[in-house]
């Protein structure tokens, strides 16, 4: 229990940041905006076809632009993402990237300990006081030149089960945003930066409107100038691809652009269009089909509105014991980043510090200006059919087996509290695990894979893995892949199991 009426904290870990004043702030956010969030989540279920909205045609045709970003965000050519663990935060801020996105979402398993420790790490990082010592005694500390900090709260669909407001678990989005903003917004502004955020998994401009209303209220409540918050929206759902203009418009006072959240976008495409069979994940590259159309549309839309158009994630990590394989992986990174900068993106994402200089070199060579807002891409014409076009490719036995390995091994790590996992030379997070289980579910649904065959493949591919949470992970993965209806997000049932392991 807390001193805040109607609010209960059930998490065991205590922290000075989880104070009565801060909890009062997040509780008020929940009371003001929680019901709208639930209504919008229910509205998602009623949308079964996808096209540009006739009722917002005037927004798409209008001549408007978003508010300018502060000078510290004019150049975002390389961004790195990662979980909010202290060591990871230090390494990412020191990486040489322009921006570090600290992730409370896809790369964090939201145990109470992880959530609170992450908030503590960012609080210290904002004040340049974060340090960490490994069990072996190695010391990590912040350097002189740091990346700009962005924070990604959890998506609207997730709750924070450890904090009850009037008897109901509150929004994970509002908790993550509210606790960070309450403690750090004024400090960031005093240091010449600001409260900057990445917003995940929205499916409509009405969800962006909700975020904008949250921002306005939060700034007013703490006496922070309106427009101080700047947020980049990840376009990582199929419905959002048809509402890019509208999303920017709703957030125009607070917008810092849009980002191609490619992995979740692939997952959303399968989820929303289950009858359109996709090739193996490894064949789904950004130069083909619906992925090409959506990235081109994003650049054109953003630059027309004066907003940054950020590229997608390079998930590769260094392969230390195989020089040839390492060079092949880095060649893929270079080709991907070259495509992005030549298309007109203003920056890109990487998952590992070793990729920062590679991405930077390509953007430095081809983007001598801080950004490419002047590249208007008037040549781009993207139709509904383009955004739904499935690229050519195959569904292979190797692809199935990789989906099984990645899906189960990631879930096992997640259930142990680890949300960002290096697997098979890629940094995997919840988004890529979602693709794995969605593709397997789709093949089962279409009669291309029987449950008996799935069991056989799982037994063969996972025979060497036992202990930990592997039994639970295998059970959950199989249930998700063979269910009659598609579970919206694997992290929802996984969260219930995570709560059980905490108890």
């Amino acid at each position: 229990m807390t001193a805040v009426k109607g609010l209960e904290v059930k998490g065991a870990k205590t922290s000075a940041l989880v104070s009565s004043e801060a909890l009062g702030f997040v509780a008020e956010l929940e009371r003001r905006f929680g019901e709208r969030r639930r209504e919008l989540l229910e509205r998602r279920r009623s949308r079964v076809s996808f096209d540009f909205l006739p009722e917002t045609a005037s927004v798409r045709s209008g001549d408007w632009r978003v508010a300018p970003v502060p000078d510290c965000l004019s150049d975002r050519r390389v961004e790195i993402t990662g979980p909010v663990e202290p060591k990871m935060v230090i390494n990412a801020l020191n990486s040489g990237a322009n921006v570090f996105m600290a992730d409370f979402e896809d790369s964090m398993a939201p145990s109470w300990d992880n959530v609170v420790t992450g908030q503590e790490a960012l609080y210290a990082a904002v004040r340049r006081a974060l340090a960490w010592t490994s069990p072996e005694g190695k010391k990590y500390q912040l350097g002189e030149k740091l990346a700009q900090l962005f924070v990604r709260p959890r998506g609207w669909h997730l709750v924070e089960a450890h904090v009850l407001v009037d008897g109901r678990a509150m929004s994970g989005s509002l908790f993550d945003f509210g606790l960070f903003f309450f403690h750090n917004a004024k400090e960031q502004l005093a240091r010449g930066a600001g409260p900057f955020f990445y917003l995940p998994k929205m499916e409509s401009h009405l969800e962006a409107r909700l975020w904008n209303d949250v921002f306005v209220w939060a700034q007013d409540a703490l006496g922070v100038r309106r427009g101080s918050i700047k947020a980049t929206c990840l376009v990582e759902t199929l419905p959002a691809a048809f509402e890019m203009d509208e999303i920017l418009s709703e957030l125009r006072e607070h917008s810092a652009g849009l980002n191609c959240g490619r992995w979740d976008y692939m997952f959303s495409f399968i989820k929303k269009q289950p009858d359109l069979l996709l090739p193996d994940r490894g064949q789904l590259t950004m130069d083909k089909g619906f992925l090409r159309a959506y990235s081109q549309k994003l650049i054109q839309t953003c630059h027309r509105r004066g907003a940054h158009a950020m590229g997608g994630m390079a998930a590769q990590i260094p392969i230390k014991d195989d020089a040839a394989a390492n060079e092949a992986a880095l060649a893929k990174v270079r080709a991907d980043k070259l495509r992005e900068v030549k298309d007109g993106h203003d920056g890109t994402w990487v998952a590992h510090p070793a990729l920062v200089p590679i991405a930077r070199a390509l953007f430095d060579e081809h983007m001598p200006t801080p950004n490419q807002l002047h590249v208007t891409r008037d040549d781009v014409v993207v139709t509904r059919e383009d955004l739904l076009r499935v690229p050519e490719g195959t569904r292979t036995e190797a692809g199935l087996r990789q989906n099984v390995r990645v899906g189960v091994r990631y879930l096992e790590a997640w259930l142990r509290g680890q949300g960002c996992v290096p697997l098979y030379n890629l940094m995997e997070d919840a988004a890529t695990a979602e693709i794995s289980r969605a593709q397997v579910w789709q093949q089962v649904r279409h009669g291309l894979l029987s449950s008996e065959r799935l069991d056989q493949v799982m037994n063969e591919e996972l025979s060497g893995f036992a202990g930990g949470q592997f039994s639970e992970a295998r059970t959950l993965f199989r249930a998700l892949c063979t269910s009659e209806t598609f579970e919206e997000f694997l992290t929802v049932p996984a969260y219930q199991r995570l709560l059980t392991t905490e108890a």
Side-chain angles (χ1 to χ4, degrees):
M1 298 296 291
T2 73
V4 180
K5 185 177 180 181
L7 187 142
E8 180 183 2
V9 177
K10 300 171 69 176
K13 179 179 172 66
T14 59
S15 171
L17 298 186
V18 190
S19 63
S20 293
E21 294 80 5
L23 289 171
F25 181 76
V26 299
E28 187 63 21
L29 282 170
E30 177 64 24
R31 288 175 175 136
R32 287 177 177 269
F33 302 107
E35 185 58 33
R36 271 178 67 190
R37 178 188 76 90
R38 290 185 286 272
E39 290 171 357
L40 288 170
L41 290 176
E42 187 62 33
R43 184 178 180 272
R44 289 181 179 182
R45 298 184 177 92
S46 65
R47 189 169 183 177
V48 295
S49 62
F50 305 98
D51 203 343
F52 298 100
L53 302 177
E55 63 267 30
T56 57
S58 62
V59 176
R60 294 193 298 278
S61 63
D63 187 17
W64 54 267
R65 292 171 69 84
V66 303
V69 296
D71 289 344
C72 64
L73 296 184
S74 64
D75 189 335
R76 297 168 59 185
R77 65 189 59 219
V78 183
E79 302 191 346
I80 190 169
T81 74
V84 289
E85 301 164 13
K87 175 186 172 182
M88 297 290 195
V89 171
I90 293 169
N91 286 343
L93 288 171
N94 288 342
S95 67
N98 299 72
V99 165
F100 164 50
M101 188 200 76
D103 189 16
F104 283 95
E105 210 227 10
D106 274 352
S107 61
M108 183 191 74
S111 67
W112 180 245
D113 188 80
N114 284 350
V115 170
V116 174
T117 299
Q119 290 280 354
E120 291 174 335
L122 297 186
Y123 180 92
V126 166
R127 291 154 182 81
R128 291 181 172 261
L130 180 62
W132 186 79
T133 303
S134 73
E136 299 76 28
K138 185 176 180 180
K139 298 183 182 299
Y140 295 79
Q141 60 186 24
L142 296 175
E144 288 298 314
K145 185 177 181 181
L146 304 180
Q148 288 290 343
L149 176 64
F150 275 60
V151 175
R152 176 162 70 171
R154 280 168 280 183
W156 283 132
H157 60 289
L158 295 170
V159 299
E160 178 44 76
H162 302 92
V163 181
L164 307 183
V165 178
D166 303 326
R168 171 179 261 170
M170 74 168 293
S171 160
S173 307
L174 296 177
F175 183 82
D176 297 341
F177 162 78
L179 198 63
F180 179 85
F181 185 80
F182 180 86
H183 287 295
N184 298 295
K186 291 183 178 179
E187 182 71 23
Q188 289 178 300
L189 289 166
R191 291 174 177 268
F196 305 141
F197 297 92
Y198 258 100
L199 305 180
K201 293 184 176 57
M202 285 188 289
E203 294 195 9
S204 78
H205 68 284
L206 297 180
E207 296 178 21
R209 182 180 299 172
L210 176 56
W211 267 120
N212 196 71
D213 291 346
V214 167
F215 292 163
V216 169
W217 182 85
Q219 289 166 126
D220 289 351
L222 294 188
V224 173
R225 178 182 57 82
R226 286 194 184 184
S228 296
I229 293 174
K230 295 297 179 185
T232 303
C233 296
L234 289 129
V235 180
E236 51 187 353
T237 68
L238 181 61
F242 290 96
E243 299 186 37
M244 294 187 204
D245 279 295
E246 293 89 332
I247 289 170
L248 285 174
S249 179
E250 293 292 346
L251 282 157
R252 69 176 75 177
E253 183 182 21
H254 300 106
S255 179
L258 303 176
N259 172 285
C260 283
R262 66 173 78 175
W263 304 115
D264 264 304
Y265 192 73
M266 294 177 195
F267 161 60
S268 177
F269 191 96
I270 299 170
K271 177 168 62 174
K272 300 297 184 181
Q273 300 286 308
D275 290 331
L276 299 180
L277 279 162
L278 295 186
D280 289 349
R281 167 188 160 188
Q283 300 176 36
L284 290 171
T285 52
M286 295 297 292
D287 58 345
K288 299 176 183 175
F290 67 92
L291 291 168
R292 178 67 172 165
Y294 128 90
S295 65
Q296 298 282 290
K297 180 68 174 175
L298 185 142
I299 296 167
Q300 182 192 56
T301 302
C302 284
H303 289 180
R304 183 183 177 199
R305 306 306 182 184
H308 286 145
M310 305 305 297
M313 168 69 80
Q316 288 83 356
I317 56 179
I319 306 172
K320 297 180 180 179
D321 56 354
D322 189 332
N326 187 60
E327 183 50 41
L330 297 184
K332 290 182 180 180
V333 174
R334 293 187 188 98
D336 185 51
K337 301 314 168 191
L338 182 62
R339 173 194 55 79
E340 288 181 328
V341 70
K342 285 190 170 183
D343 279 351
H345 279 292
D346 301 293
T348 190
W349 273 19
V350 299
H352 194 281
L355 302 185
V356 171
I358 295 172
R360 180 174 296 283
L362 286 163
F363 271 80
D364 286 351
E365 180 181 356
H366 297 280
M367 191 176 81
T369 51
N371 52 64
Q372 299 194 83
L373 294 178
H374 58 283
V375 179
T376 56
R377 292 309 307 270
D378 297 329
D379 58 304
V380 171
V381 178
V382 172
T383 66
R384 174 183 184 271
E385 290 69 30
D386 294 326
L387 289 171
L388 298 176
R389 183 171 292 114
V390 175
E392 293 183 1
T394 56
R395 290 168 294 280
T396 67
E397 179 76 9
L400 168 64
R401 289 177 178 275
Q402 178 161 351
N403 280 335
V404 167
R405 290 195 302 270
V406 169
V408 175
R409 290 192 63 185
Y410 179 82
L411 268 174
E412 192 276 333
W414 200 94
L415 293 172
R416 287 188 286 105
Q418 185 179 355
C420 191
V421 188
L423 294 172
Y424 310 108
N425 305 319
L426 294 174
M427 191 63 75
E428 305 284 3
D429 64 9
T432 47
E434 290 281 31
I435 298 171
S436 294
R437 66 97 178 189
Q439 288 203 307
V440 175
W441 175 86
Q442 196 177 35
Q443 291 184 42
V444 172
R445 181 179 189 270
H446 285 270
L448 303 177
L449 177 68
S450 67
S451 56
E452 292 78 15
R453 174 62 177 153
L454 174 59
D455 288 338
Q456 179 185 354
V457 172
M458 289 179 66
N459 288 335
E460 291 171 356
E461 292 300 318
L462 301 167
S463 62
F465 300 101
Q469 294 291 321
F470 270 105
S471 177
E472 187 72 11
R474 288 179 60 151
T475 299
L476 177 56
F477 184 81
R478 187 187 189 283
L480 290 168
C481 293
T482 58
S483 64
E484 287 292 325
T485 58
F486 189 83
E487 179 69 48
E488 281 284 296
F489 295 96
L490 68 79
T491 47
V492 174
Y495 188 42
Q496 298 307 309
R497 288 161 171 80
L498 185 69
L499 295 173
T500 300
T501 63
E502 282 189 293

